[in-house]
Amino acid sequence: MVKYVFGIIFIAAGLFLLYSGARRASTLRRCREAVDGRYLDRESVGSFRGEKFRLKFEYEYGGKIYTALSDGKLSEDEILKRGFTRGRRYALLISPDDPEFCTCRLKNEYVFEATFMLMAGIFITAIGAMLLI
């Protein structure tokens, strides 16, 4: 009986990782246009792992000025480590189809995260399936 419970837990965790990895890959595929944006401020968002922030940027694309929050959430330490300073300009990735959707994360971060989450999701789901057999 315990074996089946663990199997279901592993499958649920694996499916969650697969979903998260697919979202990261989708963002990478969606945000393919590099623009130069000015960091304006940050907005606090709740997180079960402590306070996180979404960063607010202003940038121009297609002759129009956009103000948008980044898609990712960063901790205070990550913001300081990356040196985000109000008024400075940073390279952003935006979606050409929806220019108000931007990310301040680097492309290689998304590739690593998506690959890791997809592989871990497959592995953990397979373990859960084997426990159910």
Side-chain angles (χ1 to χ4, degrees):
M1 181 66 171
V2 172
K3 178 174 125 173
Y4 295 113
V5 171
F6 278 114
I8 291 170
I9 290 171
F10 271 73
I11 288 173
L15 292 175
F16 176 74
L17 284 170
L18 287 170
Y19 171 75
S20 296
R23 282 194 62 203
R24 295 285 196 281
S26 171
T27 299
L28 177 62
R29 188 175 64 250
R30 189 174 167 191
C31 295
R32 59 189 181 275
E33 190 76 32
V35 297
D36 190 38
R38 188 169 54 97
Y39 173 52
L40 300 175
D41 203 0
R42 62 187 186 184
E43 182 179 288
S44 178
V45 290
S47 173
F48 67 92
R49 291 182 285 171
E51 189 174 25
K52 297 275 186 162
F53 301 92
R54 290 180 70 195
L55 306 182
K56 184 187 247 182
F57 292 96
E58 180 181 79
Y59 50 92
E60 182 180 346
Y61 181 73
K64 189 174 176 186
I65 303 290
Y66 293 93
T67 302
L69 292 171
S70 65
D71 72 316
K73 300 171 191 162
L74 301 173
S75 69
E76 180 78 31
D77 289 342
E78 290 171 312
I79 292 170
L80 292 173
K81 192 184 305 180
R82 292 178 183 220
F84 282 106
T85 307
R86 286 182 180 92
R88 280 187 58 192
R89 301 190 79 69
Y90 297 91
L92 305 174
L93 292 174
I94 65 163
S95 169
D97 302 326
D98 181 12
E100 291 185 7
F101 185 82
C102 77
T103 181
C104 59
R105 303 184 73 192
L106 302 173
K107 192 175 274 194
N108 61 351
E109 288 178 296
Y110 278 107
V111 170
F112 174 76
E113 285 181 4
T115 304
F116 176 78
M117 286 182 179
L118 290 171
M119 291 176 67
I122 290 169
F123 182 72
I124 291 173
T125 303
I127 290 173
M130 289 191 311
L131 287 172
L132 293 179
I133 296 175

